[in-house]
Amino acid sequence: MKIKKILNNNAAIVVEDNQEKIVIGSGIAFNKGKNDLINRNKIDKLFVMKNDDHAEQLLPQISVEHMALTQEIIQHAEDSLQVKLNPHIFIALADHLSFAIERYENGIFIKNKLLSEIRILYKKEFDIGIWAINYIEDKIGIRMPIDEAAFIALHLHTASVPSGNLQVSLRQTSIINEIIHIIQDYFSIHLEEGGLSYERLITHLRDTLYRTDETTERTMDEEMLIMVRKKFPASYNCAETIAEHLSQQHGLLLSTEEIGYITIHIERLRSRKG
């Protein structure tokens, strides 16, 4: 494994088996030069470079301190989730954290509009995000808001599922946020977060979007569907409004059965008020 290009003292591009790879480790490239061999015992992270990777541009801009923070957060996440995260999360999360820390140092705070949904949909990852912002405060004295825990959670979730894609996760969570606003506007109510009915609705909507993306359906007995439509007309009309929004804005088509299931969740949420 020979060095092709040094990115900084802790990262280098190497060539092995005719493939370009990124190796990351504390001091792994210190006092090294092109064509020097890498000590495998110092490698903490290794991944094969793809054509769309920006690691070569990003890594030299990330401080050693921020890389170390990222490595510890990823290790804690892997231990907590009992899963090996996609190695590409190191670059994405290190870049995100480094930029976020720089923003907070300059007094710039960004709200996470999907905080409520992320907290419910990715609870384990969100708990790790809370651990991460506490860890960052302990190490460098910067206190990040809870919004940052949600950003970290989204990165962790994406890296923990096969073929995870951050944009897909973000899109689905954003759509759920839109649906919640539709329900609130339709009934002129504010949905209380944290209630069991609220969490069930959020989880069902996530599953609905997964099923829609996979073009699979759940079935509801026709008689049951007719009963739901007659018994809960307002909630059913709201569910139809949601279906129309998904079709027009996102090209997602919901079956009448799925509209029926959403109706039941909306009605439970309204009647129990969370």
Side-chain angles (χ1 to χ4, degrees):
M1 186 179 288
K2 291 185 178 181
I3 294 176
K4 178 181 179 181
K5 182 177 181 179
I6 293 174
L7 300 176
N8 55 40
N9 285 339
N10 304 285
I13 298 175
V14 300
V15 177
E16 184 180 46
D17 300 328
N18 294 320
Q19 283 187 317
E20 288 190 357
K21 302 178 181 180
I22 296 284
V23 291
I24 297 169
S26 179
I28 198 168
F30 181 68
N31 279 340
K32 296 285 186 179
K34 186 175 180 179
N35 293 324
D36 283 348
L37 295 176
I38 284 291
N39 183 347
R40 289 181 178 273
N41 293 329
K42 287 192 172 184
I43 296 176
D44 291 327
K45 290 290 178 183
L46 180 150
F47 58 89
V48 178
M49 290 186 66
K50 299 179 181 178
N51 293 333
D52 59 348
D53 277 337
H54 301 291
E56 188 172 345
Q57 291 76 37
L58 292 176
L59 280 174
Q61 303 173 32
I62 302 172
S63 71
V64 174
E65 184 178 44
H66 295 169
M67 282 189 182
L69 288 173
T70 303
Q71 180 62 33
E72 287 299 319
I73 292 170
I74 291 174
Q75 187 60 59
H76 177 76
E78 290 183 336
D79 292 343
S80 299
L81 298 173
Q82 291 295 293
V83 66
K84 199 69 176 175
L85 298 177
N86 187 316
H88 288 267
I89 188 181
F90 184 90
I91 302 300
L93 186 58
D95 180 54
H96 171 82
L97 287 178
S98 186
F99 184 50
I101 290 169
E102 181 181 332
R103 287 200 317 269
Y104 293 123
E105 285 177 332
N106 292 307
I108 302 172
F109 302 93
I110 295 179
K111 296 292 291 181
N112 191 326
K113 296 180 180 179
L114 304 177
L115 173 61
S116 298
E117 290 75 23
I118 292 172
R119 179 162 27 197
I120 293 172
L121 293 175
Y122 314 122
K123 186 181 185 306
K124 291 181 180 179
E125 293 88 344
F126 183 78
D127 289 343
I128 296 169
I130 295 294
W131 179 90
I133 62 176
N134 289 330
Y135 179 76
I136 291 171
E137 182 179 22
D138 289 342
K139 291 298 181 180
I140 62 177
I142 293 177
R143 180 60 188 176
M144 292 182 167
I146 196 171
D147 302 74
E148 189 58 41
F151 286 123
I152 293 171
L154 205 54
H155 277 281
L156 295 175
H157 167 72
T158 302
S160 66
V161 297
S163 303
N165 184 298
L166 182 61
Q167 293 306 313
V168 171
S169 298
L170 187 59
R171 174 176 178 265
Q172 290 182 339
T173 310
S174 297
I175 291 174
I176 291 172
N177 178 265
E178 292 172 14
I179 293 173
I180 293 298
H181 282 288
I182 289 173
I183 297 171
Q184 292 184 140
D185 292 343
Y186 191 92
F187 294 106
S188 298
I189 59 174
H190 174 71
L191 299 180
E192 292 296 330
E193 302 170 16
L196 182 58
S197 296
Y198 184 90
E199 293 193 10
R200 283 174 174 167
L201 173 65
I202 296 292
T203 302
H204 177 82
L205 292 175
R206 177 194 60 190
D207 294 342
T208 296
L209 294 177
Y210 278 132
R211 286 193 296 272
T212 302
D213 286 344
E214 296 170 1
T215 64
T216 59
E217 296 182 0
R218 291 169 69 183
T219 58
M220 176 182 282
D221 181 86
E222 181 65 24
E223 186 176 341
M224 173 70 75
L225 181 61
I226 293 173
M227 185 198 74
V228 167
R229 186 162 44 199
K230 287 183 176 180
K231 191 172 183 179
F232 312 125
S235 293
Y236 187 84
N237 288 338
C238 180
E240 284 191 315
T241 300
I242 291 169
E244 183 178 358
H245 172 81
L246 294 180
S247 175
Q248 292 182 352
Q249 300 299 319
H250 302 287
L252 299 175
L253 301 178
L254 296 187
S255 67
T256 54
E257 291 88 352
E258 196 60 70
I259 292 173
Y261 280 113
I262 292 175
T263 297
I264 293 172
H265 280 281
I266 293 174
E267 185 63 28
R268 179 189 288 125
L269 192 63
R270 291 178 61 213
S271 62
R272 299 183 183 181
K273 297 179 181 176

